[in-house]
Amino acid sequence: MDQHQQAQRPRLSLVRILEMNLGFLGLQFSFGLQQGNMGPIYSYLGASEGQLPLLQLAGPMTGLIVQPLIGALSDRTTSRWGRRTPYFLFGAVLCAIGLLTMPLSASIVMAVSLMWLLDAGNNITMEPYRAYVSDRLDPAQRHTGFLTQSAFTGLAQMLAYLTPSLLVMLGMDRDWVDPHGIPYTVRTVFWFGAALSLGTILWSVLRVPELPLGAEERARIVAAPRGIGATLAEVGNAIVTMPVAMRRLGLMSLFQWFSFWGYWTYVPYVVARNVYGTSDPASGGFHEAVLTNGQMAAFYNLVACLAAFAMVPLVRRIGPGPMHALCLVAGGIGVLTLAHVTDKALLFLPMLGIGLAWGSTMGNPYAILSNAVPAERTGVYMGIFNMMIVLPMLLFSVLMSELDLGFVKLGFGLYEKLLGGDPRHLLTLCGAGLIAAGLAVLRVREGRAAATGATEGLAHS
């Protein structure tokens, strides 16, 4: 797309922006299913609690490897279907296959293998979807596009957490399991997720197709070096020449994603200790804590969905950076408070702040980023930005856990050595981390202009 075309992107109605992001609903439903069900699936198949962090590394690792490469490849694609669409469709097919087959797993090895397939499909689709919004929308509308993605993220994950309970309410036996111990409610919801993911992505690309490349842009892409070596070189060069705004977002991402990953990993254990008075995973109290956490997660995702739409006019006034800072501080206060709540009904109050932080996280940083990077390298920079998400997750796993393989020990085991094996201390650390992330994003100046007008935003495109 040449400079003239970049300046002449047609403005889309809110309905069209919703349609172009509908595929994100299906994609994030898949992520929600993984987040809420993969630990139990591994446990049904015989995994111990100590093995779960290692078994769950497929998500961060595939994100680290796949997204930057797909970003660089999609920037260089000139197919008849567009730059991003081939990756949407290929990733959606892989995701659907993973969702269809995962609940049929007969062993831990099979489940782990399918998890890598599923995460690869999700990540192949995720990265170009971010770039597609930046490609397709006028700079003044990008914050609306990314906040719409955030709203669909909240809605999709809320539904993913609640659907098994809804199936039980409709009469499905929660104790009806297959020969490997996996409940049929899990099988049903995963199969529904496969249809939703593939169907919504097809709807989006057919209803709101990509804009055609201009002659100048096509010529530039055709003339660029090809092959995996050129792609890796492009990723490396993009890291070296990263815009200042993106570098500063990296510090925010370190605190933000370290904290979110820790929260998701340990919040059921905090609820079990504080509300149900147990740390025994085999106890009925712990099982109830897991169910309660699902209800909490559904609630904060609902808050995130509603907050994302409510943020649109506020972002126009104050910009995505200050808005994100406020939301992260609210989330940090929520996590700090949650570490001390002992009444079930009061658990949902901290979810208001956590929902605000989550709703902002899935939209505002991308609005900042999209107006701070060169338009012709949006794909590779969106992929690199995902590295800033998964590296803190990997750092968390290495610092907090320890795995003894007999001949070598992996990880530092700080959860036991520094935090005394108490998840409430871990949540306190995560709450402080979200507040630090909020302070870090205030250092980012570039890219906010898209919230107030297209002219300055174009200067960053």
Side-chain angles (χ1 to χ4, degrees), residues 37-52:
N37 292 280
M38 285 313 303
I41 286 176
Y42 289 138
S43 297
Y44 299 143
L45 296 172
S48 69
E49 187 178 303
Q51 294 173 315
L52 296 180

Side-chain angles (χ1 to χ4, degrees), residues 250-425:
L251 181 62
M252 174 211 72
S253 291
L254 172 63
F255 291 118
Q256 175 179 279
W257 290 106
F258 185 98
S259 301
F260 272 126
W261 195 245
Y263 170 83
W264 292 327
T265 302
Y266 284 99
V267 67
Y269 301 90
V270 171
V271 174
R273 282 170 168 81
N274 282 353
V275 179
Y276 299 102
T278 182
S279 59
D280 179 8
S283 67
F286 185 83
H287 296 159
E288 190 63 29
V290 173
L291 293 175
T292 300
N293 178 55
Q295 297 161 14
M296 293 159 56
F299 181 66
Y300 84 66
N301 276 287
L302 175 61
V303 172
C305 176
L306 298 176
F309 285 114
M311 285 179 207
V312 172
L314 294 174
V315 167
R316 289 197 187 102
R317 297 187 63 181
I318 69 173
M323 186 76 255
H324 190 47
L326 290 171
C327 291
L328 286 175
V329 170
I333 293 171
V335 174
L336 287 171
T337 303
L338 184 62
H340 305 285
V341 174
T342 58
D343 183 86
K344 179 179 177 179
L346 295 179
L347 290 172
F348 294 87
L349 288 178
M351 295 303 106
L352 294 171
I354 294 169
L356 287 174
W358 183 233
S360 180
T361 293
M362 297 307 291
N364 283 317
Y366 296 95
I368 299 170
L369 179 65
S370 67
N371 290 306
V373 302
E376 68 275 8
R377 303 181 86 178
T378 298
V380 68
Y381 275 122
M382 288 292 180
I384 291 170
F385 192 58
N386 189 69
M387 294 171 65
M388 298 180 183
I389 295 174
V390 299
L391 285 174
M393 296 177 179
L394 293 173
L395 179 65
F396 177 89
S397 297
V398 171
L399 290 179
M400 292 299 157
S401 60
E402 186 175 56
L403 180 62
D404 190 348
L405 300 178
F407 60 93
V408 65
K409 286 186 177 181
L410 301 178
F412 292 89
L414 296 185
Y415 178 65
E416 293 288 345
K417 297 175 182 176
L418 183 64
L419 302 175
D422 191 330
R424 292 166 290 200
H425 296 159

Side-chain angles (χ1 to χ4, degrees), residues 30-254:
S30 173
F31 274 117
L33 289 179
Q34 291 174 233
Q35 199 174 83
N37 292 280
M38 285 313 303
I41 286 176
Y42 289 138
S43 297
Y44 299 143
L45 296 172
S48 69
E49 187 178 303
Q51 294 173 315
L52 296 180
L54 180 62
L55 297 174
Q56 302 261 31
L57 283 181
M61 288 301 296
T62 55
L64 181 65
I65 297 167
V66 170
Q67 288 212 23
L69 293 178
I70 293 299
L73 288 170
S74 70
D75 281 344
R76 296 162 180 255
T77 297
T78 58
S79 77
R80 58 182 295 187
W81 300 284
R83 301 169 80 179
R84 321 295 182 185
T85 300
Y87 302 96
F88 292 163
L89 298 179
F90 180 64
V93 170
L94 287 183
C95 177
I97 293 172
L99 290 171
L100 286 171
T101 53
M102 178 65 73
L104 303 178
S105 296
S107 66
I108 294 175
V109 172
M110 181 178 177
V112 170
S113 301
L114 292 172
M115 182 66 173
W116 282 85
L117 174 69
L118 177 56
D119 261 311
N122 282 334
N123 280 289
I124 288 170
T125 302
M126 171 76 79
E127 191 288 324
Y129 220 123
R130 299 288 194 190
Y132 162 58
V133 170
S134 183
D135 292 344
R136 192 66 173 80
L137 292 178
D138 179 272
Q141 288 192 301
R142 286 178 186 163
H143 63 279
T144 303
F146 287 118
L147 285 172
T148 300
Q149 286 192 351
S150 179
F152 277 138
T153 297
L155 177 61
Q157 295 198 4
M158 179 191 71
L159 293 174
Y161 276 107
L162 284 183
T163 301
S165 296
L166 293 175
L167 291 174
V168 172
M169 288 175 59
L170 293 172
M172 201 167 188
D173 185 355
R174 73 184 66 192
D175 298 320
W176 182 28
V177 299
D178 69 13
H180 308 291
I182 299 176
Y184 281 97
T185 53
V186 173
R187 182 179 297 189
T188 303
V189 75
F190 268 66
W191 287 359
F192 174 73
L196 184 69
S197 179
L198 187 59
T200 55
I201 288 170
L202 283 172
W203 181 277
S204 289
V205 299
L206 292 175
R207 292 288 295 170
V208 190
E210 295 184 65
L211 295 173
L213 290 170
E216 178 184 329
E217 180 71 0
R218 183 177 291 275
R220 184 191 64 78
I221 294 172
V222 170
R226 302 276 175 168
I228 189 64
T231 300
L232 292 173
E234 167 69 5
V235 173
N237 178 263
I239 292 174
V240 171
T241 60
M242 189 184 300
V244 174
M246 188 171 178
R247 292 183 187 276
R248 291 181 175 177
L249 284 173
L251 181 62
M252 174 211 72
S253 291
L254 172 63

